[in-house]
C-alpha cells in the first residue's frame, strides 16, 4: 500500500471504490494455525488474552501467513463479563462458563458499575502493541459482543442451542431485562471506544446468538440496545454489525445501525444486499465448511459470492462465521489469493 493511501478494507467499509475486494476472516487467528497452537501450548486461553505481548503476536500471525487485508484484535467477546463478578472461566473442551448465572430480577439489577478502562486495560495495550507492529501495513479491527449475546451467556451460564432461559427471562422480567441490557450496552460502548482510543481503525459488533429470536422479539428486546451501543461510538470509525442465523433480522439489524452489515452463509449475498439497499456495505459470506473442500471448490464458491457483489463498492469478503479448527492453512491462503485475483479491477 502506498504511503498515505487509505487501505482497501477501510475504503470498502465506506462504500468507496477499491482496486480489489478486501478480505479478512473471522477467527483468522485460531487453532487451525500451527503458530497459534504453539502459543496456546504454553498459555491458557484467558492467560493469552491477558498477555498483551502474546495477544499482539497472535493478532499478527494471519497477516504474516495469509496476506489478509485487515488484522482483528485477539481477545474474546466475554472479557467484559469478568469484571461483573459472575465467575467467568474458560474450560478446555467445554468453552466459556459463567459460575454465577443471572437468573433473577434481583441479580440483573445488581450487576455492578465497572470502570472498563481499568478492568480491561490489558486489551488496550494489546491494541497499541499490534498497531505498532503492523506499521500500517493493514488496518486493525477491534470488536465486542453485542448486548443480547452477552446477556444470553449471563443467563444461560454458557453456550446454548435454544436460549430458553434467556427468552423466558426477557418476557417474564421485562424491566430487569431492560436494565441489564442498558448496563451491557453502556459497558460495550465504553469498551469499544477504549479500543478506538488505543488505535483500532474499525470495530465489529458480534451478536453471535441473536438469530435465535423472532423479528418481533428483536425489535422489542434487542434493537434499542444495539442501537444505543452503535450511536455511542466515536464517529469516523467504521462499524460492522454481524450476527449468525440472522436472515430474518437483517433489515432490523441495519435499522439498529452499522456502516457494514455482516451476512452469514445462509443468505445469498446479491439479493440480500439488494433488499438492504446499496447505501450500506456488506461483509461475507462464504460457508466456512467450503475451506475443508479442495481448492477448485473454494474457487467456485468464491466466484459465486464475488458475482453476487457484482463489483459494487462496499463489499468486504469474509466467511459467514469463523474458520473451523480443522481447516488446512493452505486452503485459507488460497482463498485470500483467489479473492484478490478474481476481484482485481
Amino acid at each position: 500500500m502506498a504511503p498515505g493511501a487509505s487501505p482497501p478494507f477501510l475504503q470498502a467499509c465506506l462504500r468507496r471504490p477499491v482496486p480489489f475486494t478486501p478480505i479478512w476472516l473471522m477467527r483468522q487467528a485460531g487453532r487451525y494455525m500451527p503458530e497459534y497452537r504453539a502459543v496456546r501450548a504454553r498459555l491458557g486461553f484467558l492467560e493469552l488474552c491477558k498477555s498483551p505481548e502474546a495477544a499482539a503476536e497472535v493478532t499478527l500471525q494471519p497477516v504474516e501467513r495469509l496476506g489478509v487485508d485487515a488484522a482483528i484484535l485477539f481477545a474474546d467477546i466475554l472479557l467484559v463479563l469478568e469484571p461483573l463478578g459472575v465467575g467467568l472461566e474458560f474450560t478446555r473442551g467445554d468453552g466459556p462458563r459463567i459460575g454465577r448465572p443471572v437468573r433473577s430480577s434481583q441479580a440483573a439489577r445488581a450487576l455492578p458499575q465497572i470502570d472498563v478502562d481499568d478492568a480491561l486495560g490489558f486489551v488496550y495495550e494489546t491494541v497499541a502493541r499490534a498497531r505498532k507492529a503492523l506499521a500500517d501495513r493493514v488496518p486493525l479491527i477491534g470488536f465486542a459482543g453485542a448486548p443480547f449475546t452477552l446477556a444470553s451467556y449471563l443467563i444461560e451460564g454458557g453456550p446454548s442451542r435454544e436460549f430458553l432461559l434467556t427468552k423466558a427471562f426477557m418476557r417474564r422480567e421485562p424491566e430487569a431485562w431492560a436494565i441489564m441490557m442498558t448496563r451491557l450496552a453502556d459497558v460495550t460502548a465504553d469498551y469499544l471506544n477504549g479500543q478506538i482510543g488505543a488505535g483500532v481503525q474499525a470495530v465489529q459488533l458480534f451478536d453471535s446468538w441473536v438469530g435465535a429470536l423472532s423479528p418481533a422479539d428483536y425489535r422489542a428486546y434487542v434493537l434499542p440496545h444495539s442501537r444505543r451501543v452503535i450511536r455511542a461510538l466515536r464517529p469516523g470509525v467504521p462499524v460492522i454489525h454481524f450476527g449468525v442465523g440472522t436472515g430474518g433480522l437483517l433489515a432490523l439489524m441495519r435499522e439498529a445501525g452499522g456502516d457494514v452489515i455482516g451476512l452469514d452463509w445462509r443468505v445469498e449475498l446479491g439479493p440480500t444486499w439488494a433488499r438492504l439497499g446499496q447505501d450500506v456495505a456488506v461483509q461475507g459470506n462464504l460457508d466456512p465448511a467450503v475451506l475443508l473442500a479442495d481448492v477448485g471448490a473454494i474457487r467456485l464458491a468464491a466466484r459465486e459470492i464475488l458475482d453476487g457483489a457484482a463489483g459494487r463498492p462496499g463489499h468486504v469478503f469474509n466467511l459467514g462465521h469463523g474458520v473451523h479448527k480443522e481447516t488446512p492453512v493452505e486452503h485459507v491462503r488460497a482463498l485470500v489469493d483467489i479473492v484478490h485475483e478474481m476481484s482485481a479491477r
Side-chain angles (χ1 to χ4, degrees):
M1 190 173 69
S6 183
F9 165 74
L10 295 179
Q11 293 285 77
C13 288
L14 299 173
R15 294 180 292 106
R16 295 172 181 161
V18 288
F20 56 85
T21 299
I23 174 173
W24 71 278
L25 306 172
M26 287 179 276
R27 214 180 293 140
Q28 66 185 14
R31 288 175 290 176
Y32 75 101
M33 295 190 74
E35 300 96 321
Y36 174 82
R37 293 197 299 271
V39 175
R40 283 285 280 112
R42 58 186 173 84
L43 294 173
F45 181 76
L46 202 51
E47 188 181 6
L48 171 55
C49 290
K50 292 184 175 184
S51 168
E53 182 178 2
E57 175 190 342
V58 169
T59 298
L60 265 69
Q61 286 173 349
V63 176
E64 312 292 353
R65 184 74 177 266
L66 306 175
V68 288
D69 297 302
I72 183 164
L73 171 69
F74 184 83
D76 190 271
I77 63 171
L78 300 186
L79 292 178
V80 295
L81 299 186
E82 190 179 33
L84 296 176
V86 293
L88 172 68
E89 59 180 359
F90 291 86
T91 57
R92 190 175 292 275
D94 291 332
R97 293 291 166 192
I98 302 296
R100 292 177 287 282
V102 175
R103 293 178 181 165
S104 69
S105 171
Q106 293 82 355
R109 294 169 189 271
L111 287 173
Q113 297 278 359
I114 61 171
D115 184 328
V116 177
D117 293 346
D118 181 60
L120 297 166
F122 59 88
V123 175
Y124 306 156
E125 186 180 341
T126 299
V127 170
R129 285 174 176 262
R131 272 299 305 273
K132 183 178 180 180
L134 283 167
D136 289 329
R137 285 175 290 163
V138 298
L140 178 62
I141 305 168
F143 70 93
F148 175 81
T149 290
L150 296 177
S152 73
Y153 273 105
L154 283 175
I155 294 169
E156 303 288 340
S160 173
R161 298 187 72 173
E162 302 292 340
F163 300 94
L164 300 181
L165 296 173
T166 305
K167 292 180 180 183
F169 185 94
M170 70 187 190
R171 289 179 173 278
R172 187 181 65 243
E173 303 285 355
E175 290 184 9
W177 171 265
I179 289 169
M180 178 170 64
M181 289 286 279
T182 299
R183 178 71 49 82
L184 292 173
D186 291 345
V187 166
T188 299
D190 288 347
Y191 180 42
L192 287 174
N193 278 328
Q195 292 181 35
I196 293 167
V200 302
Q201 294 145 288
V203 294
Q204 177 156 310
L205 189 65
F206 280 90
D207 217 346
S208 306
W209 307 132
V210 78
L213 297 182
S214 69
D217 282 350
Y218 182 91
R219 187 181 293 107
Y221 297 106
V222 176
L223 191 155
H225 306 288
S226 293
R227 178 189 283 151
R228 183 182 180 94
V229 174
I230 293 168
R231 287 185 173 176
L233 299 182
R234 295 189 192 183
V237 175
V239 178
I240 306 165
H241 192 179
F242 171 75
V244 181
T246 53
L249 303 178
L250 290 170
L252 291 169
M253 291 176 68
R254 189 192 169 180
E255 188 179 331
D259 301 284
V260 186
I261 301 299
L263 311 179
D264 78 359
W265 69 93
R266 297 171 180 87
V267 298
E268 286 188 87
L269 188 142
T272 302
W273 198 357
R275 287 195 299 273
L276 289 172
Q278 300 302 319
D279 56 340
V280 68
V282 296
Q283 178 177 278
N285 64 333
L286 185 73
D287 184 342
V290 171
L291 293 177
L292 301 175
D294 58 47
V295 173
I298 294 170
R299 180 176 289 274
L300 286 172
R303 177 79 272 168
E304 284 184 14
I305 290 168
L306 290 170
D307 286 348
R312 288 187 294 269
H315 177 218
V316 175
F317 201 105
N318 207 314
L319 304 180
H321 203 196
V323 180
H324 292 300
K325 67 178 187 290
E326 300 87 356
T327 305
V329 177
E330 58 270 21
H331 287 191
V332 184
R333 176 69 208 214
L335 173 66
V336 174
D337 291 342
I338 288 165
V339 170
H340 286 161
E341 169 204 327
M342 285 184 170
S343 66
R345 315 287 194 246

